Amino acid sequence: MRIATYNVNSITARLPRLLAWLESSGTDVLCVQETKCSAEQFPHDELRELGYESAVNATGRWNGVALLSKVGLEDVVTGLPGGPDYEGVQEPRAISATCGGVRVWSVYVPNGREVEHDHYGYKLGWFRALAAAVAEDAAGPRPFAVLGDFNVAPTDEDVYDPAVFAGATHVTPAERAALEELRAAGLSDVFPRALKYDRPYTFWDYRMLAFPKNRGMRIDLVYGNEPFTKAVTDAFVDREERKGKGASDHAPVVVDLDLDR
């Protein structure tokens, strides 16, 4: 089974590229983030033509997550159980389902904006709710993983220059402690290999030639429990999909599983 996670930065804007990538990559299950559409606008029909069932948690212009599967889509849970609200609503940042015997979550963790901003506290609260929500599955016997845009670089080696990010979100001790709390629930970081250069960055800003200069961050992560990680045969960042006109500012992270291992 091939499972991937991809922040598409607008599924409407990226749809032709996404459909082509799905056809060429052989992906069985895709966790999507930042759909930037309503549930009614989501391209279920186009994806169905490629053989994908889809489930979406999206309410409009911002945020939004989805799951696409060729191997079944069962027991869908929309939203983060016990998750905090922001400005009076729970934003569409999580969706989970069972696909081919693997329980997966697609998550789009709040950005945090600035350390002094209310959104930063919301981000930390969201992480706490996520750790609580996944604890039972993480400790269970079924392969289980949380995949998505975590908006945190786990270590200084996961950013091109730590000095550039000093004092900013995505690298603070509190955010990294939140990742450690998530791992403590029984999850491990499935570390992908880079297809170019020495670090598997997954995000490059559109500005200042960040991509050609490889000024990136590793913030799109795959956290799996022991039955999941034991089944992993390969993991990589498909950097090629970040190239060219109309690309997202993220690249897909792809994980291959042999569930009979």
Side-chain angles (χ1 to χ4, degrees), residues 185-206:
L187 301 176
S188 299
D189 186 353
V190 178
F191 193 85
R193 59 187 174 89
L195 297 186
K196 186 177 181 180
Y197 301 112
D198 60 344
R199 297 298 298 178
Y201 298 139
T202 66
F203 166 83
W204 301 259
D205 199 295
Y206 286 129

Side-chain angles (χ1 to χ4, degrees), residues 93-166:
R93 293 184 175 275
I95 191 167
S96 57
T98 301
C99 306
V102 180
R103 188 72 184 172
V104 296
W105 283 60
S106 176
V107 301
Y108 181 35
V109 176
N111 177 281
R113 300 180 187 173
E114 298 175 354
V115 174
E116 298 80 12
H117 200 284
D118 288 346
H119 210 258
Y120 180 76
Y122 166 59
K123 179 179 190 175
L124 298 179
W126 203 94
F127 263 123
R128 288 191 293 270
L130 178 63
V134 305
E136 183 176 352
D137 279 326
R142 176 174 55 177
F144 170 76
V146 184
L147 305 92
D149 180 354
F150 283 68
N151 270 314
V152 182
T155 71
D156 280 354
E157 291 187 347
D158 294 308
V159 296
Y160 74 91
D161 184 354
V164 172
F165 297 91

Side-chain angles (χ1 to χ4, degrees), residues 76-97:
V76 175
V77 176
T78 301
L80 175 59
D85 291 350
Y86 188 71
E87 295 182 342
V89 298
Q90 185 176 124
E91 297 178 321
R93 293 184 175 275
I95 191 167
S96 57

Side-chain angles (χ1 to χ4, degrees), residues 15 19 22 41-52:
L15 186 58
L19 295 174
L22 286 168
Q41 295 168 324
F42 193 81
H44 293 282
D45 293 341
E46 292 89 336
L47 292 163
R48 190 178 298 112
E49 289 181 4
L50 293 185
Y52 290 93

